[in-house]
Amino acid sequence: MSTPMVFLLVVLVGVPSRGVAAAVPTNADDAAAMQSIASSTGAAKSLGWGARSPDPCGGTWPGVRCDATTGRVVAINASRGGLSGTLPPGDLSLLTSLVELDLSFNEVGGRFELPRLRKPLPALRTLDLRSNRFLDIPDGFFSAFPALETFAIDDNDMADPTVLQDDVATCSHLRSFSANNVSMNDMFPNFFGNASLFPDLESLSLAGNQLFGVIRPDFGKNGKIKFLDVSAQHSSDGGKLGGILKFITGMENLVVLRVDHNSFFGQLPDATHLANLRRVDAAANDLCGIPKFPPGTDVDLDGNPKVGKEC
């Protein structure tokens, strides 16, 4: 090999690629926390966490993603992972770089309340706990997630959970909040429609609960809500979700609305100016009047015998 070629080879081998960052050791707190979580949720058996290596960032823990430049766990996706047991708040609170946590469709919770963390997870944006076994939402739960954008707790058999305005309002970046079928028995949380508190909220889903009262006329005004589902409220004490649907007219970004199987009454609003509206389900209420929706809108008004007649 000639001298110039040897020199070129040395240069190519000796200089690291600028686009590749060397991996650093896994953060000790993250490693300890993940090993504990693997044990408490049964992921050590069902997903094999720790079976090949105790290092959660070593590439052998399914669904666990780390940042190679910091050695921190940034995402956990164990949806449908066969998990059970509990989620210890002390361990979870150590994962301070966590951005996404998806434990949906498991049996985590042990019939205890959602974990109230000892210190915030400042980077967490997605928290999906659908279809588990959590019992309640503790006061102060949401204050641990100041960057939260997407939250889902659907289909947990809860015991009358309450979402407090002062608590959830700390999540001012919320884009999606879903709590279907969790036995929420309370006045309708009109604060979700306050665009000053939740300027980025696009989806609110609270179907199949026991909410009662009315939705205020200014709900969603000047906000970004595109999807609203408050269908099928069934309060056991006789209280019902109702009132008039005037609030719809101020929701200029609305695409899908479900208010079916409730006790809304009175004049159908004129919604012809809602250019984005594509689907309205207001079946099984007590509405009246002539439907006025944008052309092409899929509308279900069955079970409202007064619809089509002047009020």
Side-chain angles (χ1 to χ4, degrees):
M1 182 179 294
S2 65
T3 300
M5 294 179 67
V6 171
F7 176 74
L8 178 61
L9 180 62
V10 171
V11 170
L12 291 175
V13 173
V15 178
S17 170
R18 291 185 178 182
V20 179
V24 299
T26 302
N27 178 274
D29 284 342
D30 283 24
M34 289 300 297
Q35 290 160 12
S36 179
I37 291 171
S39 176
S40 65
T41 63
K45 293 182 178 179
S46 64
L47 293 174
W49 285 2
R52 295 171 59 188
S53 168
D55 184 359
C57 297
T60 64
W61 289 46
V64 177
R65 182 163 54 86
C66 299
D67 185 331
T69 63
T70 63
R72 304 302 303 267
V73 175
V74 296
I76 301 171
N77 188 331
S79 179
R80 304 182 190 276
L83 310 187
S84 58
T86 60
L87 187 62
D91 295 320
L92 186 59
S93 65
L94 294 175
L95 304 176
T96 55
S97 292
L98 195 63
V99 174
E100 175 187 355
L101 177 61
D102 185 350
L103 302 180
S104 58
F105 303 100
N106 286 292
E107 294 188 4
V108 178
R111 298 298 293 161
F112 292 104
E113 65 182 17
L114 292 169
R116 183 173 181 177
L117 304 193
R118 298 172 183 173
K119 57 182 179 180
L121 297 184
L124 193 76
R125 295 198 298 265
T126 299
L127 181 57
D128 191 343
L129 300 173
R130 290 173 293 166
S131 295
N132 276 284
R133 292 178 56 80
F134 292 104
L135 183 63
D136 202 357
I137 302 174
D139 295 353
F141 171 77
F142 291 102
S143 61
F145 313 109
L148 192 64
E149 296 178 0
T150 301
F151 175 74
I153 194 66
D154 310 25
D155 301 313
N156 278 260
D157 186 15
M158 292 189 163
D160 191 14
T162 300
V163 177
L164 299 177
Q165 175 178 333
D166 291 345
D167 185 18
V168 73
T170 59
C171 306
S172 60
H173 302 289
L174 266 180
R175 294 181 180 276
S176 176
F177 188 99
S178 188
N180 299 312
N181 305 313
V182 296
S183 301
M184 189 181 295
N185 186 0
D186 206 345
M187 290 285 290
F188 181 78
N190 277 287
F191 53 80
F192 277 116
N194 186 331
S196 296
L197 294 176
F198 302 104
D200 299 317
L201 188 65
E202 296 181 351
S203 178
L204 177 64
S205 192
L206 300 170
N209 285 299
Q210 301 170 30
L211 298 172
F212 52 89
V214 300
I215 300 181
R216 289 200 304 253
D218 61 348
F219 180 89
K221 187 176 182 180
N222 300 321
K224 295 182 179 179
I225 295 178
K226 298 178 180 179
F227 180 90
L228 177 63
D229 185 356
V230 295
S231 60
Q233 305 300 322
H234 50 274
S235 179
S236 58
D237 60 5
K240 295 182 179 181
L241 180 62
I244 59 176
L245 296 178
K246 185 177 180 180
F247 65 91
I248 297 174
T249 61
M251 301 180 70
E252 297 185 354
N253 292 296
L254 195 61
V255 177
V256 175
L257 173 70
R258 288 201 59 184
V259 293
D260 53 286
H261 296 86
N262 284 301
S263 296
F264 291 99
F265 60 86
Q267 179 79 43
L268 279 168
D270 184 346
T272 52
H273 64 290
L274 301 181
N276 299 312
L277 197 59
R278 296 294 179 269
R279 168 74 174 155
V280 173
D281 189 345
N285 282 284
D286 190 23
L287 301 168
C288 60
I290 308 301
K292 298 178 181 179
F293 297 101
T297 304
D298 180 11
V299 180
D300 185 350
L301 296 171
D302 290 349
N304 290 275
K306 299 176 187 176
V307 164
K309 307 173 186 178
E310 293 293 344
C311 296

